[in-house]
Amino acid sequence: MTSFEPKSLSTSKLHGYLLSAVAPRPIAFASTMDADGNPNLSPFSFFNVFSANPPIMIFSPARRVKDNTIKHTLQNVEAIKEVVINVVNYDMVHQMSLSSSEYPEGVNEFDKSGLTMLESDIVKPFRVAEAPIQLECKVNDIVKLGTEGGAGNLIVCEVVKLHIDDDVLDEGGTINQQKLDLVARAGGSYYTRAKKGFFEIPKPLSTLGIGVDNFPEHVKNSMVLTGNDLGMLANIEALPTEESVKLFVEDLGARYSNIKTATHRQKHKLARNYLSFGDVESAWKILLS
C-alpha cells in the first residue's frame, strides 16, 4: 500500500486523490443571483443533506486550485443569501456539465446550457425547470475553511420550499429512485448513474463552448435532440466552416444518397446517431448541411 501525508503532496494531486476516493458524490446544481439581479448556475459535488429538522443542506464552492480565485456562486451568496439547489438526473447531465465552464461574470449559464429559468416562490434565484426536484433555500451561514487554493467554503442552507415533479412520485407520494434517475460525481471525468453505474463526460472546454444560445434556431428548438444532445453540441469552441460542411456532406452522400434533400427532422435523427458515439463534429456538419 502506498501512503502519503497530505502536506507531502501538491494541492492538485491531493485534490485528485480525494475526489476519486470519496465517490460518488451527490451534485448540488446551485442557482444564485448577484447584487445586480444577474442569474448564475453552477454544479458542486461537495454537497449533502445534514438535517431534517431544521432542513439543512451544505455545499462548498472551493477556491480554485490553479489560481486561488473564488467562484461567482460564492460571491453571489455573500451578496444575496439565497440559493436554489436543483438535483441532477441523467436527462440533463450534459447541460449541467457545460454550465460548469468558467464563463465570464455576467454570462447567464441558463442560456449557455439551454436550461429554462423558472421563477421561485420565496427566494430570488431562479429554479431549473428541467430539474425533477428543486429546493429553495435561505443561506444561514458561510464557513470559510481557508484562504489558499483548494480551500472550501461551506454554504449552510435551510430549505424553505421543495418542488418535486409528479412524474418521479409513486402513488403514495414517495420519491421513486428509479424514476428520479439521479447522477453523481466521481473522480476525473467520471460520473455514476444511480441505476446503471459509471460513465464518462468530457470536461467542458477551457476555451469555453459556444453555448446553446449561439445555435441556429432549428437546432435550439429541435423536437428530436435531447437536453444531453444540446449539451454535447454546445461544448465546442466554434461551429464547423461552410467548406468543411460541404466536403463532409459530399462524402456522406456516397452512403446516404438522400442527405441533401433530407428534412431538418431527418438530419437531427442522423446527428443524434453520431452523438451517441461522441462524434460532435460530424453531428454539427449534418445539422448545418
Side-chain angles (χ1 to χ4, degrees):
M1 177 175 284
T2 304
S3 302
F4 304 99
E5 292 184 3
K7 291 183 179 179
S8 70
L9 300 170
S10 67
T11 302
S12 60
K13 189 73 170 178
L14 177 59
H15 184 255
Y17 280 148
L18 293 175
L19 293 186
S20 294
V22 183
R25 300 180 305 282
I27 299 169
F29 203 12
S31 170
T32 57
M33 186 173 287
D34 69 16
D36 295 323
N38 297 308
N40 181 267
L41 186 61
S42 187
F44 300 92
S45 66
F46 288 180
F47 163 64
N48 220 311
V49 58
F50 290 88
S51 172
N53 186 22
I56 299 294
M57 295 183 166
I58 299 176
F59 72 99
S60 176
R63 301 181 73 93
R64 294 184 179 92
V65 174
K66 63 181 180 182
D67 58 9
N68 195 26
T69 56
I70 63 173
K71 298 184 178 181
H72 298 143
T73 299
L74 178 58
Q75 294 173 325
N76 291 352
V77 296
E78 289 176 332
I80 297 179
K81 299 188 182 307
E82 298 176 343
V83 62
V84 178
I85 295 177
N86 305 275
V87 306
V88 180
N89 67 358
Y90 186 74
D91 288 343
M92 59 188 288
V93 66
H94 280 272
Q95 290 169 286
M96 177 278 300
S97 176
L98 181 67
S99 75
S100 70
S101 301
E102 294 183 9
Y103 290 109
E105 187 173 2
V107 171
N108 187 343
E109 288 85 3
F110 280 94
D111 290 340
K112 289 296 180 184
S113 61
L115 293 166
T116 307
M117 293 189 298
L118 182 64
E119 285 192 6
S120 296
D121 292 345
I122 297 177
V123 302
K124 293 178 182 178
F126 293 97
R127 294 179 276 152
V128 175
E130 291 80 0
I133 300 176
Q134 307 135 13
L135 305 139
E136 297 186 35
C137 303
K138 296 284 188 178
V139 175
N140 289 352
D141 198 8
I142 301 174
V143 181
K144 299 180 185 297
L145 301 180
T147 58
E148 300 301 319
N153 298 275
L154 305 185
I155 313 299
V156 183
C157 310
E158 182 169 351
V159 180
V160 294
K161 194 160 189 177
L162 297 83
H163 306 270
I164 305 174
D165 192 326
D166 291 336
D167 288 344
V168 303
L169 293 174
D170 286 330
E171 291 182 2
T174 58
I175 294 173
N176 183 308
Q177 292 293 306
Q178 290 286 332
K179 293 179 180 178
L180 188 56
D181 198 12
L182 290 177
V183 296
R185 196 72 171 88
S189 59
Y190 280 95
Y191 290 76
T192 183
R193 187 176 181 181
K195 64 182 185 181
K196 288 196 174 180
F198 283 105
F199 62 96
E200 284 190 271
I201 294 180
K203 291 183 181 295
L205 297 173
S206 59
T207 49
L208 299 182
I210 61 170
V212 175
D213 55 331
N214 287 312
F215 284 11
E217 288 299 316
H218 74 90
V219 179
K220 186 189 302 183
N221 300 317
S222 174
M223 299 298 291
V224 174
L225 300 169
T226 68
N228 278 339
D229 294 332
L230 297 180
M232 294 175 70
L233 290 166
N235 191 33
I236 60 167
E237 188 174 357
L239 293 174
T241 64
E242 289 185 15
E243 182 62 24
S244 68
V245 171
K246 180 181 177 181
L247 292 173
F248 179 84
V249 171
E250 288 177 355
D251 179 64
L252 191 63
R255 289 167 283 162
Y256 300 98
S257 58
N258 63 342
I259 186 63
K260 292 184 179 180
T261 59
T263 64
H264 280 326
R265 184 176 181 83
Q266 290 169 328
K267 290 178 181 178
H268 290 196
K269 287 183 176 180
L270 183 57
R272 279 207 74 191
N273 185 52
Y274 277 85
L275 288 172
S276 71
F277 294 100
D279 190 349
V280 177
E281 183 79 11
S282 295
W284 262 121
K285 289 175 180 177
I286 290 168
L287 293 170
L288 295 175
S289 65

